[in-house]
Amino acid sequence: LNFFQEQDRARRNTKWLVLLFVLAVIALVALTNMVVAAFLFFEGSNLYSRETFKWITLIIVGSICCAILFRWMELSRGGKVVAEELGGIPIQPNSPDPHERRCLNVVAEMALASGMPVPQVYVLHEQITLNAFAAGTSPADAVIGVTRGSIEQFDRNQLQGVIGHEFSHILNGDIDRKSTRLNS
């Protein structure tokens, strides 16, 4: 399969996941109402009515919607949220670390070559593994995260390959918008 077929497959899978989420919410509402109805029945109460069902449903759906809205607003601040949740720290242009400066130079070169704005670069100091990621909601607020192991162990050409790979995610619109996993 080529990239575009994979991208189409991923979009179809996303639609299925949304449908399964909606079904899970419906199941949660039904199950909660059944538990409350059973509890009231065994207590000998006849307080369970359509009004009780409506309130239980409203509370559950409202809670889920509030949680989704909160997370959506949090993540709409851009890729920096994901990078910071992973423990990333922005690399400053005046960093005394030569590895960090080299990484910033590579990112700036790739941005220039791709005609994109230069994304902010985060380093995950606690990660000695070889990995990187791109995150954000659009190219304008995308960030690139690089593990400490990557910027220290890769030579310039290898780092260019890794950073180029992350730029391809940004350019193709498959940046990691909502996840907090470190994998690319």
Side-chain angles (χ1 to χ4, degrees), residues 78-95:
K80 71 178 193 168
V81 173
V82 174
E84 290 169 358
E85 283 181 356
L86 290 169
I89 297 171
I91 299 177
Q92 300 303 318
N94 59 352
S95 171

Side-chain angles (χ1 to χ4, degrees), residues 54-123:
K54 282 193 263 186
W55 277 107
I56 290 172
T57 303
L58 183 64
I59 290 169
I60 293 171
V61 173
S63 298
I64 292 171
C65 288
C66 285
I68 290 170
L69 182 63
F70 174 76
R71 188 68 174 155
W72 188 279
M73 288 173 26
E74 184 180 51
L75 291 174
S76 69
R77 295 190 341 234
K80 71 178 193 168
V81 173
V82 174
E84 290 169 358
E85 283 181 356
L86 290 169
I89 297 171
I91 299 177
Q92 300 303 318
N94 59 352
S95 171
D97 184 328
H99 293 106
E100 290 181 1
R101 284 195 316 274
R102 181 184 65 182
C103 184
L104 286 178
N105 290 339
V106 168
V107 170
E109 291 167 7
M110 292 290 171
L112 181 64
S114 64
M116 290 182 49
V118 179
Q120 192 168 20
V121 184
Y122 284 76
V123 63

Side-chain angles (χ1 to χ4, degrees), residues 11-79:
R11 286 188 178 121
R12 279 192 308 275
N13 287 345
T14 299
K15 289 176 186 173
W16 278 110
L17 288 173
V18 170
L19 175 66
L20 290 173
F21 177 76
V22 169
L23 292 175
V25 170
I26 292 169
L28 180 64
V29 167
L31 185 62
T32 305
N33 274 291
M34 286 191 295
V35 168
V36 170
F39 176 77
L40 291 174
F41 175 77
F42 288 117
E43 287 292 313
S45 172
N46 53 355
L47 294 175
Y48 196 79
S49 66
R50 283 181 178 241
E51 192 67 26
T52 308
F53 174 77
K54 282 193 263 186
W55 277 107
I56 290 172
T57 303
L58 183 64
I59 290 169
I60 293 171
V61 173
S63 298
I64 292 171
C65 288
C66 285
I68 290 170
L69 182 63
F70 174 76
R71 188 68 174 155
W72 188 279
M73 288 173 26
E74 184 180 51
L75 291 174
S76 69
R77 295 190 341 234

